[in-house]
């Protein structure tokens, strides 16, 4: 199946970091190569970054979880979306009703990082705006974070999410 080797890793057995790999092949009578056992030839050395640590996602309201608000209120909180190799994060409001609260900050409520990214954001403020036309309902605000690792031959690899609930009541 054209598979040379399977290298199984987990955070418990291998530390994150940079590894150098090369292949040694037994070949009787092979010419001498420095650092290579007798009767072997070696491939070029390649470098591989191992990252088994997933991203961090956290979100909370400034007034605490599951707080009740009234249509027209502004809802504020903070979120964290971090990873050593972050790819993207996004904020969303669920469920998708007719007129949900609108995320006004950060704007836009998502970010995709370039190849060599900063590690993300910590305790970043967010804001939801409700208006008289916002549908009264129970909502969650969700933060999703993905990193740019390859896990089991799939990109993106690691992901994490967190959510916080709130209740939006009709104006009295």
């Amino acid at each position: 199946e054209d598979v040379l080797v399977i290298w199984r890793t987990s955070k418990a057995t291998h530390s994150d970091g940079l590894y150098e790999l090369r292949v040694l092949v037994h070949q009787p009578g092979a010419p001498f190569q420095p650092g290579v056992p007798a009767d072997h030839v070696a491939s070029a050395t390649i470098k591989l970054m191992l990252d088994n640590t997933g991203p961090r996602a956290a979100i909370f309201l400034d007034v605490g979880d599951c707080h009740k608000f009234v249509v027209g209120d502004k809802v504020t909180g903070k979120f964290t979306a971090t990873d050593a190799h972050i790819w993207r994060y996004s904020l969303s409001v669920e469920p998708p009703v007719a007129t949900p609260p609108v995320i006004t900050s950060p704007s836009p409520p998502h970010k995709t990082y370039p190849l060599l990214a900063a590690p993300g954001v910590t305790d970043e403020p967010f804001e939801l705006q409700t208006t008289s036309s916002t549908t009264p309902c129970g909502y969650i605000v969700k933060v999703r974070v993905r990193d740019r690792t390859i896990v089991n031959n799939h990109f993106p690899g690691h992901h994490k999410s967190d959510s916080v609930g709130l209740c939006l009541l009709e104006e009295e």
Side-chain angles (χ1 to χ4, degrees):
E1 295 183 28
D2 295 330
V3 174
L4 180 61
V5 67
I6 295 175
W7 182 20
R8 298 196 189 280
T9 63
S10 71
K11 189 168 183 160
T13 59
H14 296 285
S15 298
D16 291 353
L18 184 64
Y19 289 81
E20 291 186 352
L21 303 174
R22 70 177 179 176
V23 176
L24 293 175
V25 178
H26 182 256
Q27 183 180 18
F32 172 77
Q33 284 182 276
V36 176
D39 294 329
H40 286 79
V41 292
S43 70
T45 300
I46 62 163
K47 293 183 180 187
L48 173 88
M49 177 63 72
L50 184 62
D51 179 0
N52 282 321
T53 303
R56 183 169 171 246
I59 190 165
F60 58 91
L61 300 175
D62 288 338
V63 295
D65 292 351
C66 298
H67 192 77
K68 295 178 183 175
F69 295 90
V70 176
V71 169
D73 285 351
K74 184 188 316 182
V75 179
T76 60
K78 291 188 172 47
F79 73 97
T80 295
T82 59
D83 189 81
H85 303 104
I86 193 169
W87 177 44
R88 66 186 306 172
Y89 73 79
S90 64
L91 291 171
S92 62
V93 177
E94 298 174 5
V97 296
T99 311
V102 175
I103 299 171
T104 56
S105 175
S107 182
H110 55 83
K111 182 168 185 174
T112 300
Y113 289 88
L115 185 59
L116 298 174
V121 295
T122 302
D123 292 333
E124 181 79 8
F126 74 88
E127 182 178 293
L128 300 179
Q129 187 60 55
T130 67
T131 65
S132 59
S133 63
T134 303
T135 305
C137 190
Y139 291 98
I140 65 165
V141 184
K142 184 176 265 189
V143 59
R144 291 177 178 92
V145 187
R146 291 191 168 273
D147 68 12
R148 57 177 70 254
T149 58
I150 298 170
V151 177
N152 296 328
N153 295 321
H154 298 289
F155 172 81
H158 301 116
H159 55 89
K160 181 83 175 191
S161 65
D162 192 28
S163 59
V164 64
L166 63 106
C167 182
L168 187 60
L169 304 172
E170 290 183 29
E171 290 180 290
E172 295 179 3

